[in-house]
Amino acid sequence: MSFQFPLAPHMAQIPSNPIFHLLPKLNEPGFISFAAGVPSPDSFPYDEIAKMAAETLAGNPKEILQYGSTEGYLPLRRAMAQHLRRYSFNAGIDELVITTGGQQAIDLLCKLFVEPGDAVLAEAPTYSAAIQVFKSYKANIVSIESDDAGILPDDLESKIARHRPKFVYLIPTFKNPSGQTLSAERRAAAAEITGRLGVMLIEDDPYRDLRYEGGHLPNIKGYDRAGNVVYITSASKYFCPGLRVGTIYAPKNLTPVLTVAKQATDMHSPTLTQAIVCAYLESGRMEAHLKMLCDMYRARLKAMLEAAAAFFPESVACAPPQGGLFLWCVCPPHVDTLALLAEAVERKVAYIPGDQFYADGSVKNAMRLNFSNEPEDSIFKGMEILSKLLRTVC
Ligand SMILES: Cc1ncc(COP(=O)(O)O)c(C=O)c1O
């Protein structure tokens, strides 16, 4: 018997994510996945996490297993405030809300501010699951134009004036999907323009700690003079996504309403996983973990760049990122990477087609390649397979 009830009309707005259709295939033996934006499972500190989980439960079972506070487990908020000092932030505990991943942070901010038809400004391309959230709130997604240094300040200013958006959503560091990093000047300009024009800016920054070359740039939130920048980070990419721990660093007067929105959504994020992240941060091991991750991913990125240079047709342009998890490759305009994906999957290799990262799906000739999830030898093999396929169309 099938379930017959019609879905609410807003569900029609939400595009389904092709990664989830692919997931069963990706686990088949011999399959090489450049698709999902996942950390390497080889990086997870299993034994330490098992030990910390057991110690946490043994030491404080009543608090860990009881309902907890919506803002987040207090020791984690303290440890996270400390962790954010490495980003030059001086966050107060009352400016932090722990969320169920960074994804929930995006959702809560939309829940608080977006009504059907409201404009939100975003980069193009941008994170596909943020597009899903914006569409689920029936937002009008307006793209900001950009060049090699990121979004164009003039275009940002004129689009704010024209569309009066509820917020501007930016991923300034090693952006998902293109790996691009917004220059320091443009970060300062984005904070200045949005502050002056009285528009909220959401800085979504889960990749910041995954830098393989060059020095850290100041965060947009660091330029926030008007108190209009809301910063989102997450332990998913630099630690373990299954723990589902994200953080919003917001002006003090926003956290109480964020808390109400979160209460209505899931009461609070699981205390056990918050306590595990907290124990890991407090143990002082995160610095070494980040270094290990950066060394591992730097080598994998290098392998992917070398393979692209060696195998890909010259007409495919790949932009080397300085960090993050993705290489973005642009094929000649006639190529449709979504149409090509089925054949790639037949050949046991997968990527994400570029149209998923555009609100209107208009750009069909790009692909996002994840390099963190496969060891170097598989990266070479997968890139060789992919290049043979690309040569049939490029
Ligand atoms: C830019 C960006 N924001 C947020 C997320 C959500 O991650 P999570 O909910 O696992 O923290 C992702 C995941 O890919 C992302 O790329």
Side-chain angles (χ1 to χ4, degrees), residues 37 100-104 106 127 129-130 169 171 175-176 204-207 232-237 241 244-246 326 368:
T100 304
Q103 189 67 26
Q104 187 183 56
I106 302 169
Y127 171 46
Y169 171 78
I171 311 163
K175 184 173 70 171
N176 182 1
D204 189 9
D205 202 28
Y207 300 101
I232 303 175
T233 182
S234 164
S236 287
K237 309 298 176 172
R244 308 304 303 131
V245 172
F326 308 112
R368 188 194 77 179

Side-chain angles (χ1 to χ4, degrees), residues 70-71 77 94-97 112 250-264:
T70 305
E71 296 88 336
R77 288 160 74 213
D94 50 358
E95 294 172 299
L96 299 180
V97 175
L112 283 179
K252 238 195 289 247
N253 60 339
L254 180 57
T255 54
V257 272
L258 271 170
T259 305
V260 173
K262 184 166 165 62
Q263 223 163 37

Side-chain angles (χ1 to χ4, degrees), residues 23-79:
L23 280 179
K25 287 264 181 199
L26 305 190
N27 293 326
E28 285 175 10
F31 200 98
I32 299 172
S33 176
F34 301 141
V38 293
S40 166
D42 304 334
S43 73
F44 301 148
Y46 298 103
D47 294 343
E48 287 163 306
I49 287 180
K51 193 161 165 275
M52 284 170 182
E55 282 171 4
T56 302
L57 272 173
N60 196 6
K62 291 188 180 158
E63 188 181 0
I64 298 296
L65 299 178
Q66 189 52 279
Y67 281 115
S69 99
T70 305
E71 296 88 336
Y73 181 57
L74 186 59
L76 174 63
R77 288 160 74 213
R78 282 201 198 103

